[in-house]
């Protein structure tokens, strides 16, 4: 599975950015798609994820890190194997390289980066104060 991420950039504090990630195929390992981030000198951390195999063929449960809850929104498009992360009210502490990730399930993804099956290339998000 290849994950192609896009949408990073430079924004002022309080601004908005949207990240997108396309999965090249739908497999057992793309049951959940999501995002991690890694700031300089810090470990990679879970940001948000979404179950891509929800009821009725749609997407299912979403999950967020406490630090982004209420500011970030994740959504998915099963038909196109796309996951999107809309980031509102960005803060300088959100500055990091953001990585798209896939796993067989969202619970597994939430346990941390060691559980992730596939990674996309990172995209840099810089929030200036």
């Amino acid at each position: 599975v290849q994950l192609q991420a896009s949408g990073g950039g430079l924004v002022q504090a309080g601004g908005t950015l949207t990240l997108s990630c396309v999965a090249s195929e739908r497999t057992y390992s793309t049951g959940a798609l999501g995002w991690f981030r890694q700031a300089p000198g810090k470990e990679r951390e879970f940001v948000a994820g979404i179950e891509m195999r929800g009821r009725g063929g749609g997407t299912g449960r979403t999950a967020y890190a406490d630090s982004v809850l209420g500011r970030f929104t994740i959504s998915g498009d099963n038909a196109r194997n796309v996951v999107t992360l809309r980031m509102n009210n960005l803060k300088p502490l959100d500055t990091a390289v953001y990585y798209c990730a896939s796993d067989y399930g969202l619970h597994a993804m939430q346990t941390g980066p060691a559980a992730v099956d596939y990674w996309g290339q990172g995209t840099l998000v810089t929030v200036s104060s």
Side-chain angles (χ1 to χ4, degrees):
V1 177
Q2 294 184 345
L3 303 175
Q4 182 67 45
S6 62
L10 173 65
V11 65
Q12 289 187 333
T16 296
L17 279 177
T18 300
L19 306 181
S20 293
C21 176
V22 181
S24 61
E25 57 187 291
R26 186 178 303 177
T27 72
Y28 176 77
S29 293
T30 56
L33 295 178
W35 297 90
F36 284 69
R37 68 185 181 186
Q38 188 165 18
K42 295 189 176 181
E43 295 184 351
R44 194 170 297 189
E45 62 177 1
F46 173 79
V47 175
I50 184 169
E51 293 278 2
M52 297 298 285
R53 290 192 290 260
R55 293 184 177 180
T59 55
R61 187 176 69 91
T62 58
Y64 298 91
D66 289 345
S67 60
V68 307
L69 196 60
R71 299 188 297 123
F72 291 11
T73 302
I74 191 168
S75 59
D77 183 336
N78 268 329
R80 299 188 299 132
N81 291 340
V82 171
V83 63
T84 299
L85 183 69
R86 181 173 175 84
M87 306 182 292
N88 293 328
N89 191 20
L90 282 161
K91 304 175 180 181
L93 285 176
D94 295 316
T95 295
V97 177
Y98 284 69
Y99 296 90
C100 182
S102 73
D103 208 325
Y104 79 90
L106 183 53
H107 283 294
M109 181 178 289
Q110 286 179 269
T111 64
V116 170
D117 289 338
Y118 294 97
W119 294 101
Q121 87 285 6
T123 184
L124 178 62
V125 171
T126 303
V127 184
S128 63
S129 58

